[in-house]
Amino acid sequence: MINHFIDLRSDTVTHPTPEMRQAMAQAEVGDDVMGEDPTVNRLEELAAEKMGKEAGLFVPSGTMGNLTAILTHCGRGDEMIVGHLSHTYLFEAGGSAALGGVHPFVLQNQPDGTLRLEDLRHAVREDDPHYPTTRLIILENTHNRCGGVVLTPEYMRAVGTFAREKGLKLHVDGARIFNAAVALGVLAADLVRDADSVTFCLSKGLCAPVGSVLCGSREFIARARRIRKQLGGGMRQAGILAAAGIVALEKMVERLAEDHRRARRLAEGLSSVKGLVVENPQPATNMVYVRLGDMIQQDAPQVAEELEKLGIKSHWVDARRFRLVTHYWVNDEDISRTIHAFAQVLR
């Protein structure tokens, strides 16, 4: 009988800390749609301050935050420039097209998660009635499918400068922006200084149970609030959730370095397991991507099934590849146990 499962499928599996649960139980609440929930208001102000923006908007999810930003920046028939491995393009159910009529112009993500400036230059449409109108560039930081890599302040600034020169808006899908900031030793605001909007998640490595915050100028957030309502995201006594988000921002950011350290230790240990190939042996943040070598006859789903029998929950991203994510509820002993389990299954 396994008493403790180690869940490396994602940092979305985190649950609130005892301090968060206490804050939620004691939260002062009001009607947020009427602007009267003091805890939500405080969270939005704190989030905006952390991002160096004028205002924030609490939303149920990062997906809704990104979609709200897109629909605020773009009209029907406008075009957004996205990476082919971006979360917005791959994993948000085509919401921008289905609900907003926004057309994606897809560029190749580089291995470091960036979009080449030269590619961006070629992607901006001429003023021609045959073409959609280019309105928006979306960057992702950290970049999930590129291995949890970080985009530097210098790169973010370069894209922001380019966007302004072309009269475009820049949105940052910063679901894990604090992981990037901690890894680089900078403030999150330094990474989004040149962005017109940014969404970040409270419910991943920061451990809050629900929610993201969209930040930007006051005028942008006022328009985004209407879009949130249209999308069904008008919440009432949401301070119960926002209270956990405040704890997340005040107490959980700096400790992300522990997750990064454990990811590096996991990558190092798995590198010694015969038959495994670690794609990012020095993970930038909290994600380790590994694939099964040619000598391994099992496929990833079969290996995952055997790992679960040993108490390890893993996420396979294709037939021979895994993504393993460290977080608050994974400790040093869990890392050792995971390395041993992979070795046992693949021996």
Side-chain angles (χ1 to χ4, degrees):
M1 181 71 177
I2 296 170
N3 295 321
H4 169 57
F5 276 93
I6 302 165
D7 199 338
L8 295 164
R9 291 173 297 173
S10 177
D11 45 11
T12 62
V13 303
T14 54
H15 47 268
T17 65
E19 186 175 357
M20 288 179 183
R21 292 178 184 274
Q22 182 177 4
M24 293 167 73
Q26 298 174 346
E28 184 180 0
V29 298
D31 191 316
D32 177 50
V33 174
M34 298 180 181
E36 296 177 353
D37 191 304
T39 309
V40 171
N41 293 343
R42 182 183 166 207
L43 171 64
E44 291 174 342
E45 291 168 3
L46 179 60
E49 178 184 338
K50 295 284 186 183
M51 293 296 119
K53 303 301 180 188
E54 293 179 346
L57 180 65
F58 187 42
V59 293
S61 70
T63 294
M64 181 179 282
N66 287 335
L67 180 57
T68 300
I70 291 167
L71 301 189
T72 305
H73 287 305
C74 300
R76 300 191 72 83
D78 286 343
E79 190 166 71
M80 62 179 186
I81 301 172
V82 296
H84 79 295
L85 294 176
S86 67
H87 192 279
T88 305
Y89 179 62
L90 291 177
F91 302 120
E92 297 185 1
S96 56
L99 302 177
V102 180
H103 186 264
F105 191 115
V106 184
L107 295 180
Q108 190 86 4
N109 281 110
Q110 301 305 299
D112 63 359
T114 62
L115 303 175
R116 294 174 64 242
L117 288 174
E118 187 64 22
D119 292 342
L120 286 170
R121 276 189 280 272
H122 287 302
V124 178
R125 303 281 191 167
E126 298 176 8
D127 185 8
D128 186 311
H130 295 87
Y131 300 149
T133 302
T134 308
R135 295 287 186 198
L136 178 66
I137 299 170
I138 300 180
L139 299 177
E140 184 176 331
N141 198 7
T142 65
H143 201 291
N144 177 0
R145 282 289 161 161
C146 290
V149 295
V150 298
L151 279 61
T152 66
E154 294 75 20
Y155 174 76
M156 302 293 286
R157 189 174 305 119
V159 176
T161 299
F162 169 81
R164 285 193 300 274
E165 290 173 352
K166 295 297 184 180
L168 308 179
K169 299 299 184 180
L170 173 61
H171 173 67
V172 177
D173 174 2
R176 297 178 176 89
I177 194 73
F178 287 106
N179 288 88
V182 168
L184 291 166
V186 301
L187 296 175
D190 295 333
L191 293 172
V192 297
R193 193 176 308 280
D194 292 276
D196 297 283
S197 58
V198 55
T199 302
F200 69 87
C201 289
L202 299 161
S203 57
K204 292 186 170 73
L206 299 185
C207 278
V210 175
S212 293
V213 186
L214 171 63
C215 298
S217 68
R218 288 188 182 87
E219 187 271 337
F220 170 82
I221 291 298
R223 290 187 288 118
R225 193 173 295 276
R226 181 182 297 272
I227 298 294
R228 184 187 72 170
K229 184 68 173 177
Q230 291 175 343
L231 296 175
M235 297 179 286
R236 299 298 177 177
Q237 285 70 37
I240 293 172
L241 299 173
I246 292 170
V247 175
L249 288 177
E250 292 180 339
K251 302 292 181 68
M252 303 299 287
V253 172
E254 294 304 320
R255 65 143 306 278
L256 292 172
E258 298 176 20
D259 300 340
H260 301 171
R261 176 182 61 80
R262 291 188 175 108
R264 291 191 293 271
R265 183 166 164 243
L266 178 61
E268 180 182 358
L270 293 179
S271 295
S272 65
V273 175
K274 189 175 181 180
L276 271 187
V277 178
V278 179
E279 296 180 359
N280 55 335
Q282 291 293 322
T285 54
N286 65 329
M287 296 184 185
V288 180
Y289 278 83
V290 299
R291 67 177 186 272
L292 302 176
D294 294 340
M295 64 182 293
I296 303 298
Q297 294 184 353
Q298 304 121 295
D299 61 18
Q302 290 169 332
V303 171
E305 185 177 350
E306 292 303 311
L307 287 171
E308 188 155 359
K309 293 176 182 177
L310 298 175
I312 313 297
K313 293 185 177 182
S314 59
H315 174 57
W316 53 273
V317 294
D318 62 39
R320 301 192 65 78
R321 191 168 180 245
F322 290 88
R323 185 194 71 168
L324 307 171
V325 185
T326 56
H327 50 78
Y328 180 80
W329 299 103
V330 175
N331 59 34
D332 289 332
E333 182 181 345
D334 294 336
I335 296 299
S336 297
R337 187 173 147 197
T338 299
I339 296 166
H340 178 74
F342 266 97
Q344 185 174 342
V345 169
L346 298 176
R347 65 185 176 187

